[in-house]
Amino acid sequence: MATRWGICSAGKISNDFTVALKTLPSEDHQVVAVAARNLERAQEFGKKHSIPVTYGSYDELAQDPNIDVVYIGVIHPYHLKACLLFMDAKKNVLCEKPLAMNAKEVKEILASAKRNDVFLMEAVWSRFFPASVEIRRLLAQGEVGEVKMVRAEFGLSLMHLSRSMNKELGAGTTLDLGIYPLQFAIMVYGGETPESITATGVCTETGVDETVVVTLMFSKGRMAVITTSSGLELDNDAVIVGTKGNIRIPAHMWCPTEMVVKGKESHYPVPEPHLPLNFLNSTGMRYEAEAVRQCLLKGEQKSIDLF
């Protein structure tokens, strides 16, 4: 039986996620409804993606009994409200990253998922790419020995966008881009909590973090250095340095389609989209969608263990 998706918001990322779902078998994944802040936008989105049911409010989507899981694609200052709305309606949720604006909001979302006994996953799509799965396998078997250093960066020139300067709309490179190199380092070190965190950076006149460098110190003298910027175009690669060799993710470390392990290249292309995309390699969101399906089939109430 197909996993029935509801799409919350008719924005750019929701477009790409819906396109990505179309690369999966229709007997496994179906988009049955979409909701936007007004009915006209929802109907336009529905027509574009052949979605049979459209709603002019998120509340209507929350009450639809024919939905197994809701994909939340609103901007992150509204993640808390949207997550609570759908989970209180007993809907399973895949919420775009970052899950919330701060730790307090995250705890509130997690408590709601537990209280309502529903599935919840943050859409950190990078974790589900085949290259990421292979990295975890290689590290588990000790391919590069003991990892001593991780370096990862993600920077794009985004300051011309009005939202990138507005704190009220969730601006800031740490929340927007920095989550990717940070999650990469945490993944490499098996989910271990750093013993210390040192951060320095530059803020805009509106108080938004524009460029940030973070040093994470883990146990046994292992380190990670993270750079993120919404004002600079960086190389956007990542390197794992072990005692027996290196693993390198070239440019686009947040949506990896190639990897170099001790000098040997491997490629993992994503499927071609049937409609234009807004973001690079967005059909790669298919991997997180399939992971959600597998969790639901197994009756799991949280995302799969990735460490």
Side-chain angles (χ1 to χ4, degrees):
M1 184 174 180
T3 298
R4 300 169 299 176
W5 290 88
I7 306 297
C8 171
S9 96
K12 292 181 178 180
I13 194 66
S14 293
N15 172 87
D16 287 14
F17 182 78
T18 304
V19 172
L21 284 176
K22 289 286 189 178
T23 69
L24 293 164
S26 59
E27 60 267 26
D28 292 342
H29 296 268
Q30 294 179 7
V31 179
V32 299
V34 59
R37 287 174 293 178
N38 64 70
L39 184 58
E40 184 179 358
R41 289 197 70 205
Q43 290 174 335
E44 181 181 349
F45 192 96
K47 182 179 180 180
K48 179 179 180 181
H49 296 282
S50 302
I51 302 172
V53 180
T54 55
Y55 296 115
S57 74
Y58 302 147
D59 295 85
E60 292 174 281
L61 182 65
Q63 298 307 314
D64 189 324
N66 298 313
I67 291 171
D68 299 312
V69 57
V70 176
Y71 169 79
I72 296 178
V74 298
I75 61 174
H76 36 275
Y78 303 114
H79 284 180
L80 172 63
K81 183 177 180 181
C83 282
L84 297 183
L85 169 67
F86 291 110
M87 291 190 294
D88 284 343
K90 308 302 182 183
K91 292 291 189 291
N92 300 304
V93 166
L94 172 64
C95 180
E96 260 307 329
K97 60 84 201 164
L99 185 59
M101 294 293 291
N102 52 53
K104 180 178 180 294
E105 290 187 358
V106 168
K107 290 177 182 178
E108 193 172 346
I109 291 172
L110 295 178
S112 177
K114 184 175 182 179
R115 181 175 66 251
N116 289 294
D117 193 30
V118 294
F119 172 86
L120 167 69
M121 189 173 91
E122 182 182 24
V124 184
W125 64 317
S126 308
R127 290 285 181 94
F128 301 93
F129 274 70
S132 298
V133 175
E134 179 65 4
I135 286 172
R136 293 195 292 273
R137 187 188 72 81
L138 292 172
L139 294 177
Q141 69 179 30
E143 179 67 24
V144 293
E146 182 183 4
V147 176
K148 304 295 287 187
M149 170 65 76
V150 176
R151 180 190 61 75
E153 60 180 41
F154 188 6
L156 300 173
S157 182
L158 303 175
M159 300 313 292
H160 61 286
L161 303 175
S162 58
R163 191 173 77 83
S164 296
M165 296 290 286
N166 192 332
K167 290 184 71 174
E168 298 301 315
L169 296 180
T173 188
T174 303
L175 282 176
D176 206 18
L177 305 180
I179 184 174
Y180 289 106
L182 284 169
Q183 68 81 24
F184 183 82
I186 297 298
M187 179 188 76
V188 170
Y189 287 127
E192 182 179 324
T193 301
E195 293 183 345
S196 67
I197 303 173
T198 304
T200 185
V202 176
C203 290
T204 68
E205 57 198 25
T206 59
V208 170
D209 53 309
E210 179 182 321
T211 301
V212 180
V213 179
V214 182
T215 301
L216 308 173
M217 181 64 73
F218 294 85
S219 63
K220 302 178 183 178
R222 299 168 299 151
M223 299 179 66
V225 178
I226 304 304
T227 306
T228 180
S229 178
S230 53
L232 300 170
E233 189 88 24
L234 301 178
D235 286 341
N236 298 330
D237 62 347
V239 180
I240 302 167
V241 183
T243 55
K244 296 180 181 178
N246 300 348
I247 299 175
R248 186 171 70 88
I249 301 294
H252 320 314
M253 57 76 56
W254 72 96
C255 52
T257 55
E258 58 182 304
M259 180 171 63
V260 182
V261 181
K262 296 194 289 191
K264 182 179 180 181
E265 294 185 12
S266 298
H267 297 268
Y268 308 86
V270 295
E272 289 295 320
H274 73 287
L275 288 174
L277 298 171
N278 295 294
F279 305 104
L280 182 68
N281 291 343
S282 281
T283 54
M285 286 192 279
R286 73 196 305 267
Y287 305 119
E288 66 180 359
E290 179 58 23
V292 169
R293 172 174 166 78
Q294 293 305 316
C295 285
L296 295 178
L297 289 174
K298 295 172 184 175
E300 297 178 0
Q301 300 308 117
K302 61 181 180 179
S303 57
I304 58 176
D305 185 0
L306 300 177
F307 305 119

